[in-house]
């Protein structure tokens, strides 16, 4: 038979005593009745009652403390004084790409919204039509650059899937290239005679360390590379560090200067496997842009990394500097033949 315990109230003084009286474990303002065979819960703490040989034992000290805190909060509300809110320190300002607005929050100019109506977003265009659209969308006040963007099926974190090379654009880049040469000895005069804009040795290295960057290409002879190594942190992020694969470390200084002046372009795959490559200016004729673009495609195909597996070309787009991207039909692009070829 289950016997009902006599109801009584629980006071703070009785809770603080070391020995708890089982008959005084009830809370105000509503008494709670319990039996040795029942358990009950009180939010936010759960009190469990268990029957033992020596009588019932209830761990209720923490529950009473929570009740006291609730009572203090109620008194504060009645007296017009609330609990002071904890001040949250301001978050640190974001930098770099994290500071850019999300794609859904970015706004486009009226000019861009108008010109993007000229092409269908998901449609794949043949190469000739795409070049025509590129010229139509280049409506800025300055002469825009024609850009190609190739997504390749490679992972550059592996050495055998990295891509870095150069391409000679037959019709040039449409811009003046300022070439600097790091050399010494008899090569010094040879570089000047070949048309280098800046020629120097250790003095030029010190100028670069001091912030001098008035050049577009930096060519160095092999004997200068141990000294150029100290410029890695300065030139590397800007893509100006001399490299044999890019043709900027060579003993044939006149040839290198001539190639870069005429339209030799260096390219590389970024960490996502995308190649970004300028192939002229928007004011070029369609034929000239086609010739340069095909030269770029052939160069990327010829320098396919040995570790690339499966389908090499995933997608290809062209665009002007300030215009929308135009998706290309990859198969038609690879099979395209120039009219005069």
């Amino acid at each position: 038979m289950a016997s009902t315990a006599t109801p009584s109230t629980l006071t703070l003084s009785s809770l603080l005593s070391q020995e708890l009286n089982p008959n005084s474990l009830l809370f105000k303002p509503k008494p709670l009745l319990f039996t040795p065979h029942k358990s009950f819960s009180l939010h936010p703490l759960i009190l469990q009652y268990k029957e033992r040989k020596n009588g019932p034992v209830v761990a209720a000290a923490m529950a009473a403390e929570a009740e006291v805190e609730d009572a203090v909060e109620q008194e504060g509300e009645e007296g017009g004084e609330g609990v002071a809110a904890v001040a949250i320190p301001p978050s640190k300002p974001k930098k770099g790409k994290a500071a850019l607005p999300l794609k859904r929050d970015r706004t486009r100019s009226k000019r861009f919204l108008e010109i993007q109506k000229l092409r269908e977003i998901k449609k794949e265009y043949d190469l000739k039509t795409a070049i025509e659209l590129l010229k139509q969308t280049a409506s800025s006040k300055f002469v825009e650059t024609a850009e190609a963007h190739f997504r390749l099926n490679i992972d550059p974190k592996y050495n055998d899937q990295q891509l870095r090379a150069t391409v000679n654009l037959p019709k040039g880049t449409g811009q003046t290239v300022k070439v600097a040469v790091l050399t010494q000895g008899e090569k010094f005069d040879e570089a000047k005679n070949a048309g280098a804009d800046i020629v120097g040795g250790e003095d030029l290295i010190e100028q670069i360390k001091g912030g001098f960057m008035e050049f577009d290409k930096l060519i160095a002879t092999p004997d200068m590379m141990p000294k150029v190594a100290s410029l890695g942190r300065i030139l590397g992020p800007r893509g100006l560090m001399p490299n044999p694969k890019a043709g900027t470390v060579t003993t044939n200084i006149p040839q290198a200067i001539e190639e870069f002046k005429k339209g030799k372009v260096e390219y590389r795959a970024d960490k996502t496997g995308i190649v970004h490559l300028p192939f002229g200016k928007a004011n070029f004729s369609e034929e000239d842009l086609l010739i340069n673009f095909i030269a770029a495609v052939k160069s990327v195909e010829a320098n396919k990394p040995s570790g690339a597996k499966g389908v090499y070309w995933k997608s290809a787009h062209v665009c002007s500097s300030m215009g929308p991207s135009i998706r290309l039909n990859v198969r038609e692009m690879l099979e395209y033949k120039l009219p005069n070829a």
Side-chain angles (χ1 to χ4, degrees):
M1 295 179 61
S3 59
T4 305
T6 304
S8 60
T9 60
L10 179 64
T11 62
L12 183 60
S13 59
S14 63
L15 286 172
L16 297 177
S17 62
Q18 295 182 356
E19 297 181 0
L20 300 178
N21 186 358
N23 296 326
S24 64
L25 296 176
L26 297 176
F27 296 83
K28 285 184 179 182
K30 295 181 180 180
L32 300 176
L33 300 180
F34 58 89
T35 64
H37 302 287
K38 293 182 179 180
S39 64
F40 65 94
S41 64
L42 179 64
H43 184 77
L45 301 176
I46 298 175
L47 307 181
Q48 292 183 345
Y49 180 88
K50 295 182 180 180
E51 183 180 8
R52 294 186 180 180
K53 294 181 179 179
N54 297 331
V57 179
V58 180
M62 295 183 66
E65 183 179 355
E67 183 181 359
V68 173
E69 291 177 358
D70 293 340
V72 172
E73 291 179 359
Q74 292 178 2
E75 290 179 3
E77 292 176 357
E78 294 174 358
E81 296 179 2
V83 179
V86 179
I88 300 175
S91 58
K92 296 181 179 179
K94 296 180 180 180
K95 298 180 181 179
K97 292 185 178 180
L100 296 174
L102 298 176
K103 190 173 183 180
R104 65 173 180 268
D105 298 330
R106 297 176 189 172
T107 57
R108 295 289 191 179
S109 65
K110 292 182 179 179
R111 184 195 69 84
F112 186 90
L113 294 176
E114 287 297 324
I115 61 176
Q116 74 172 352
K117 296 178 182 178
L118 298 174
R119 61 93 168 97
E120 297 180 26
I121 296 177
K122 295 184 179 180
K123 181 178 178 179
E124 293 185 348
Y125 290 88
D126 62 89
L127 184 55
K128 189 173 182 180
T129 305
I131 296 297
E132 293 175 357
L133 286 174
L134 183 150
K135 291 179 66 66
Q136 293 178 23
T137 57
S139 58
S140 296
K141 295 180 180 179
F142 62 93
V143 180
E144 300 182 37
T145 300
E147 303 174 359
H149 305 275
F150 306 128
R151 183 182 292 276
L152 307 176
N153 188 23
I154 57 176
D155 190 351
K157 71 179 180 180
Y158 299 106
N159 292 332
D160 61 348
Q161 296 189 41
Q162 295 178 356
L163 175 61
R164 182 174 183 177
T166 58
V167 55
N168 291 314
L169 299 178
K171 299 301 180 179
T173 59
Q175 60 185 10
T176 303
V177 180
K178 197 171 184 179
V179 178
V181 177
L182 280 170
T183 186
Q184 58 187 356
E186 58 183 13
K187 295 286 185 181
F188 199 92
D189 294 332
E190 186 179 352
K192 280 187 175 181
N193 297 331
D197 299 284
I198 303 170
V199 182
E202 295 184 5
D203 56 336
L204 182 56
I205 292 177
E206 293 300 324
Q207 291 180 24
I208 295 173
K209 289 181 179 179
F212 178 78
M213 301 295 294
E214 301 296 326
F215 50 86
D216 301 310
K217 289 293 177 183
L218 181 62
I219 300 173
T221 51
D223 59 341
M224 291 294 295
M225 287 309 295
K227 299 175 182 178
V228 178
S230 60
L231 301 175
R233 293 185 178 181
I234 301 174
L235 300 176
R238 294 174 172 83
L240 295 173
M241 188 67 180
N243 188 291
K245 292 182 179 180
T248 49
V249 177
T250 179
T251 56
N252 194 343
I253 297 295
Q255 180 181 351
I257 294 174
E258 182 182 3
E259 289 177 347
F260 282 109
K261 289 281 188 179
K262 285 186 175 181
K264 188 175 184 178
V265 176
E266 178 187 357
Y267 63 88
R268 65 189 304 175
D270 63 16
K271 62 181 180 180
T272 60
I274 300 177
V275 174
H276 310 277
L277 198 156
F279 63 97
K281 292 290 184 179
N283 60 356
F284 281 19
S285 66
E286 293 179 11
E287 183 181 357
D288 289 350
L289 288 175
L290 283 170
I291 292 173
N292 280 352
F293 183 83
I294 293 299
V297 171
K298 290 181 178 179
S299 176
V300 175
E301 181 71 23
N303 290 282
K304 179 179 179 180
S306 60
K309 299 179 181 179
V311 179
Y312 182 47
W313 296 84
K314 297 179 69 174
S315 66
H317 295 76
V318 294
C319 66
S320 59
S321 300
M322 305 297 290
S325 62
I326 303 166
R327 190 180 182 94
L328 298 175
N329 184 313
V330 175
R331 178 176 294 181
E332 190 274 340
M333 177 191 75
L334 296 176
E335 296 177 353
Y336 184 85
K337 293 182 180 181
L338 294 170
N340 299 330

